[in-house]
Amino acid sequence: MLYNYYFEVAALISGLFLLCVYAIRRTLRTRSNILLLILLAVDCLGSLTDIISCFCISFPDRHSEAFNIFMCLSYLFLYNLMGILFLVYIDSKTKIKALYTPMRIYFLLITAFEFVLIFTSQWTRLVAYFDENDVYCHGPLMGLLYFLAAMHLIISVILFIIKRRRFNKYQVMAIVAFIIVVFLGVYIQLIQPELLVGQFGNTLVLFFIYTSLENPVYYTYRATTCFNRAAFREIIKMKRREKEKINLFIFKIKDYDVFRESLSNKEQMRLSSIIAEYISSLYRYNAFCIEDDKFAIQIKDAKAAEDIRLKLDKFLARSLILIESRVDVIVNSLVIMDIDLSDKADIIENGIIYALDHNLSENKQFDFLEVVDKLKRRRDISNIVRNAVEKDLFDVYYQPIRSVETGKFKSCEALIRLIDTEYGFISPEEFIPIAESEGLIVKIGEIVFKKVCKFMNEYMLTSKFGVEYVEINLSPIQLVEKDIVEKFKEIMNTYNVSPNWINLEITETANQSNEDVMISNIAEFHKLGMSFSLDDYGSGFASADYLFRYPVEIVKIDKSILWQAMDDVNAGIVLIGTLSLLKSLGKEIVVEGVETEEMVSLLQDNGVDFLQGYYYSKPLRPYEYIDFLRNNNL
Ligand code: C2E
Ligand code: CA
Ligand code: CA
């Protein structure tokens, strides 16, 4: 039979080209990346041996018999090896732990088996051989090789389907394209056996893999040669697997916000790229751009850090020329030695970003472990809060508030409590901000509101115990919810709670983007008959201004203001002035954090209406609070 080997020549040329590009281009040498390099090399060898073996079969007399046999069997082996290696590759990409050892053993055994089977077949005549007339023949076990190849392909596809979530859209497309190419190749080979397209199909597949799964662009920062954050993550993962520690020199462009405001987008990118390009030219495989203004360089020792610092200083001593502007850049840097990689890559990354964002400006010694601990704690607490929302694990405590006029505790503040089996008591000061940033606060606010209404109804707080209203803390995020009024109305209806038994405590916020909704919600609540307190008065910055914009009945002076006033004469004068100002504006005043008799008399003498603090009582469990009221209000 005369073969058409043109496709194989094309496969060889494009395979070699791909191999060169890939070997030269700087990319991360991950396991899968090295595997692709091996696949490419085996593919090129396969194409070469295929072309040669075509000649051997067509013109058996031109070379020695041994050469003919060796070439044909080599091709057969390399072609089958591709199937095995491809499975190894997919296995390294999908990383199914349970398969780790069995797969390794299987790969070794199957490769050895195929090697022996193929290279002994001139004698055994099991797979392929040249007969007495120098005609190339297939043996009875040729089908077994086809079967194994098909099986490897099918297992690869199954592994891929199991872990398909790991891959992005383009990678999925590439793999689907690959499956189509393989089947098409087999089909063409069956109907037109003299047309050699197998190797060409393989090369095409490797090209798909190169451009989608192993594209160096995924690991480089913008159009530079510097590695990016994804590459950094891969390195951390790799080192982690090898149980190594790493040392990092990290730095950040100082006052980047100023550049962000004054430079065009293009120029900002240029700025980051210049620095990225510079560090990557010096520290080829160890330089990373983590964010536009943050960089990391993996170093050997402290001496290397000094070296980098000197070079950077020298580089940045001149102004950097962007497209239209010239800028002078200063960087803040930090050296972190012996980073323990037992933590997940994202914690390490976030730790670095946190380190750069918080401590770097002072350039002081930085405790990386502490940051990692903080971030871990934050993550744990976020999980605990999520779980508590789901399983209704929050409690509400009540802190009595004393009316100076009557001496009775005519109101109280509802305070949320969270107790975790592992962490114990977690302060709302810690978990409320986390809940706010993770979008859980609206749900939590509802839970608290419901519990308070239920409690008021159960014990008939107003009619039986003389509690005129309960103060409930409202996060600014809740107050910009469009349907909050409706929701609260419904809950009050369910528990027969009158709106004028509720006072909502609101705080000043820096974010005033939704002020319209806030003001309209407050108006709606007012219409129902609810009242408002302005909480933490004096601890923010726009306090007085806020008072004019939001119609509140009560102002709560922050405990820190009271405590400072007790220590410092000037702070005392400010407090007394504030109290008289609020009085003349016609506001009722609550002061919290009252702990001593001295505080009580100071506040009473200066016209404060309500006192709240440990002097009277800590926040109490519902039944303790009822006992407290029995003893003090009846
Ligand atoms: P806050 O609104 O300023 O609440 C007053 C805090 O001061 C409470 O802390 C209370 O226990 C504490 N306190 C009262 N009197 C004294 C005193 O004499 N001495 C001392 N050392 N502390 C006193 P807590 O319960 O830890 O709450 C902290 C913050 O968490 C609250 O500050 C509030 O901003 C927030 N929070 C609590 N419950 C909720 C809630 O249900 N929803 C929302 N959004 N925030 C809540
Ligand atoms: Ca409060
Ligand atoms: Ca406060």
Side-chain angles (χ1 to χ4, degrees), residues 535-536 558-559 592:
D535 204 358
D536 298 339
D558 196 63
K559 49 184 180 284
E592 62 176 27

Side-chain angles (χ1 to χ4, degrees), residues 399 413 416-417 428-429 473 535-536 559 592-593 595 614 619:
Q399 187 175 30
E413 178 174 5
I416 192 169
R417 290 292 175 263
E429 306 227 34
N473 290 288
D535 204 358
D536 298 339
K559 49 184 180 284
E592 62 176 27
E595 292 186 342
Y614 293 180

Side-chain angles (χ1 to χ4, degrees), residues 1-183:
M1 178 156 55
L2 271 184
Y3 291 105
N4 177 338
Y5 54 85
Y6 292 161
F7 276 100
E8 301 306 70
V9 174
L12 179 61
I13 293 171
S14 43
L16 278 174
F17 176 72
L18 212 53
L19 187 65
C20 291
V21 171
Y22 200 39
I24 292 167
R25 262 206 89 154
R26 177 186 316 188
T27 188
L28 273 196
R29 291 288 173 238
T30 56
R31 217 174 98 79
S32 65
N33 183 282
I34 292 169
L35 271 170
L36 180 58
L37 213 56
I38 297 174
L39 268 162
L40 274 169
V42 171
D43 180 52
C44 289
L45 267 181
S47 302
L48 187 67
T49 48
D50 193 20
I51 294 166
I52 298 173
S53 60
C54 282
F55 283 99
C56 297
I57 293 170
S58 308
F59 312 102
D61 320 328
R62 296 216 183 146
H63 304 280
S64 73
E65 200 183 309
F67 181 81
N68 290 347
I69 293 165
F70 179 73
M71 276 301 151
C72 289
L73 296 183
S74 292
Y75 166 66
L76 208 55
F77 177 69
L78 289 170
Y79 190 74
N80 281 283
L81 186 61
M82 282 293 284
I84 299 173
L85 282 175
F86 187 74
L87 181 57
V88 178
Y89 175 80
I90 289 286
D91 179 51
S92 82
K93 271 283 167 197
T94 49
K95 289 190 206 118
I96 300 175
K97 271 213 185 85
L99 294 179
Y100 211 71
T101 323
M103 276 291 195
R104 228 105 297 176
I105 296 172
Y106 176 76
F107 292 144
L108 278 179
L109 288 181
I110 196 73
T111 310
F113 171 73
E114 291 194 359
F115 182 86
V116 173
L117 187 69
I118 291 171
F119 283 101
T120 55
S121 70
Q122 177 59 23
W123 304 287
T124 61
R125 303 208 158 185
L126 285 174
V127 183
Y129 57 94
F130 283 81
D131 68 6
E132 296 72 22
N133 308 318
D134 276 351
V135 175
Y136 180 69
C137 310
H138 285 173
L141 286 191
M142 189 64 166
L144 178 65
L145 283 183
Y146 280 121
F147 170 76
L148 286 173
M151 197 174 75
H152 294 152
L153 187 66
I154 290 167
I155 300 175
S156 306
V157 172
I158 292 173
L159 288 183
F160 169 69
I161 290 174
I162 293 174
K163 290 282 177 180
R164 65 189 174 284
R165 295 233 164 70
R166 281 243 169 112
F167 304 95
N168 67 30
K169 204 169 72 191
Y170 300 105
Q171 298 173 330
V172 171
M173 267 159 49
I175 293 191
V176 171
F178 142 69
I179 294 167
I180 294 172
V181 165
V182 170
F183 281 105

Side-chain angles (χ1 to χ4, degrees), residues 422-451:
E422 191 187 325
Y423 276 86
F425 172 82
I426 303 171
S427 162
E429 306 227 34
E430 184 173 15
F431 76 78
I432 294 285
I434 296 175
E436 285 177 336
S437 71
E438 310 232 331
L440 293 164
I441 193 66
V442 173
K443 198 92 204 50
I444 293 175
E446 252 177 77
I447 293 174
V448 171
F449 195 79
K450 207 181 261 174
K451 282 187 193 284

